[in-house]
């Protein structure tokens, strides 16, 4: 899932540039989704090791 977000963001950067306001907002949102995904993974790892 994280790779899909990164690919999508890369496509937007290529099409609109990295300083585009929309691209920056999408980038921030993607960063939040990545953090959330990583927290979920970490939580699952912690719970499975108990």
């Amino acid at each position: 899932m994280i790779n899909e977000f990164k690919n999508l963001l890369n496509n937007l950067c290529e099409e609109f540039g990295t300083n585009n306001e929309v691209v920056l907002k999408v980038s921030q949102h993607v960063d939040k989704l990545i953090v959330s995904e990583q927290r979920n993974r970490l939580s699952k790892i912690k719970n499975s090791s108990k």
Side-chain angles (χ1 to χ4, degrees):
M1 181 178 234
I2 291 175
N3 286 333
E4 292 171 10
F5 292 142
K6 289 180 181 179
N7 289 337
L8 221 129
L9 185 57
N10 285 336
N11 291 340
L12 287 173
C13 287
E14 287 177 13
E15 188 168 341
F16 298 106
T18 55
N19 288 330
N20 182 286
E21 185 177 336
V22 173
V23 173
L24 292 172
K25 286 183 181 182
V26 170
S27 176
Q28 290 174 342
H29 185 68
V30 168
D31 287 344
K32 289 177 185 177
L33 292 172
I34 290 171
V35 168
S36 177
E37 178 76 16
Q38 290 174 335
R39 284 183 178 154
N40 288 339
R41 286 182 182 181
L42 182 59
S43 178
K44 286 179 184 178
I45 290 169
K46 285 181 177 180
N47 289 333
S48 68
S49 66
K50 288 184 179 181

